[in-house]
Amino acid sequence: MSALSRLSLNQETIKQWSLPELAEGCVKAGVTGVGLWREPVQKYGVEEAAELVRGAGLTVTSLCRGGFFTASEPEARATALADNRRAIEEAATLGTDTLVLVSGGLPPGGRDLFAARERIADALAELAPYAADHGVRLAIEPLHPMYASDRCVVSTLAQALDLAERFPAEQVGVVVDTYHIWWDDTVADQIARAGAGGRIAAFQLADWVTPLPEGVLLGRGQLGDGSVDFRWFRERVDATGYTGPIEVEIFNPDLWARDGAEVLAEVADRYRAVVL
């Protein structure tokens, strides 16, 4: 097998590329998997994007993102559920079985994390059967605690599993994203727990570098530039029996300002050096 056989390039890592450029660049680099985002796919056309990646021989390893389930107002919740049904349909059209969920932060003026997480469970109860009917699994992604107030009240892999395990494993899984969970001293046990239950829906990589930029969202580092021991994570995920894609998802303006082919070549080199 090629050293890059499991590598998937998330679209946001080389955001400067259009979808056709992404497809062409991955084919040239020998990368066969891509993780896509809804906004650029919608702009290009969902059916057209599906045809493009299939024609290039690429596999869509995930679609990001659904979620944002934590609103308390009935109208806002209904809007979120409708949008997530569309996201499920888009994932199915693109041929991916994984819809990544960023679950949502506290509603305006809210302080009750426990109630917010229960609203996530309520949404999953409505959406999981619909996703299963479309051949799509919902993948709960825990985000670093610094995002709990505004983006995701699910902060640890344990919290994600506590939610996912209320539903069949083929309907709801979790995302193991090194950027968000590298700091957690229980993470080895939680990866083993996720694997034992067949819950690992996606495995994503980005490095943690400091100082964080203002706004923090765009502070993910290139593999090998920060604090994450990627080989440690890969070995523990592999030990569970997971053999799926390893997706590199980096939000970093410095990478976006560079030549895309150069960035992808660097990603591949770092992947070989620090992940395998």
Side-chain angles (χ1 to χ4, degrees):
M1 294 178 65
S2 163
L4 301 182
S5 61
R6 294 174 66 189
L7 175 61
S8 173
L9 179 71
N10 188 279
Q11 183 174 16
E12 286 291 287
T13 303
I14 308 181
K15 189 175 183 177
Q16 62 270 39
W17 269 353
S18 66
L19 265 172
E21 289 170 333
L22 176 72
E24 181 182 4
C26 285
V27 169
K28 286 182 177 179
V31 175
T32 59
V34 290
L36 299 181
W37 278 69
R38 293 182 68 199
E39 184 177 7
V41 166
Q42 289 169 348
K43 185 175 181 180
Y44 189 81
V46 179
E47 295 280 355
E48 292 80 2
E51 184 177 349
L52 174 70
V53 294
R54 280 197 301 268
L58 299 172
T59 298
V60 181
T61 56
S62 71
L63 178 65
C64 199
R65 56 182 166 42
F68 288 88
F69 301 130
T70 51
S72 54
E73 299 81 6
E75 184 177 348
R77 290 183 59 73
T79 298
L81 289 170
D83 183 60
N84 276 272
R85 291 188 183 95
R86 287 192 295 273
I88 289 165
E89 294 160 5
E90 291 165 7
T93 298
L94 292 166
T96 182
D97 61 0
T98 303
L99 176 63
V100 175
L101 304 180
V102 176
S103 297
L106 289 170
R111 292 179 177 82
D112 191 337
L113 290 167
F114 301 99
R117 293 189 192 115
E118 282 305 307
R119 288 194 290 274
I120 296 168
D122 291 343
L124 292 171
E126 292 199 39
L127 293 169
Y130 188 78
D133 288 344
H134 286 77
V136 174
R137 179 156 65 156
L138 305 178
I140 304 169
E141 181 173 14
L143 267 59
H144 191 280
M146 66 182 173
Y147 298 111
S149 65
D150 65 340
R151 193 163 293 270
C152 188
V153 297
V154 180
S155 301
T156 67
L157 194 53
Q159 290 170 354
L161 287 165
D162 287 345
L163 285 165
E165 287 168 355
R166 303 189 193 190
F167 306 95
E170 64 271 16
Q171 293 184 8
V172 183
V174 298
V175 180
V176 176
D177 187 325
T178 60
Y179 180 76
H180 293 298
I181 62 175
W182 71 275
W183 55 274
D184 184 351
D185 62 0
T186 72
V187 74
D189 290 341
Q190 298 306 322
I191 289 172
R193 173 186 169 190
R199 299 281 175 178
I200 300 178
F203 179 30
Q204 296 182 330
L205 309 181
D207 217 337
W208 180 275
V209 294
T210 49
L212 295 173
E214 184 178 356
V216 305
L217 186 62
L218 305 183
R220 299 187 183 206
Q222 174 64 281
L223 309 184
D225 281 355
S227 304
V228 178
D229 187 340
F230 292 103
R231 187 168 292 111
W232 183 95
F233 270 94
R234 196 266 304 159
E235 288 172 348
R236 276 147 188 82
V237 171
D238 283 358
T240 71
Y242 177 83
T243 59
I246 303 175
E247 189 175 304
V248 177
E249 182 188 57
I250 305 170
F251 311 153
N252 190 306
D254 289 340
L255 295 185
W256 298 338
R258 292 168 54 191
D259 175 74
E262 177 186 280
V263 173
L264 180 50
E266 183 177 270
V267 166
D269 288 344
R270 298 291 186 91
Y271 177 84
R272 293 186 189 96
V274 302
V275 179
L276 298 183

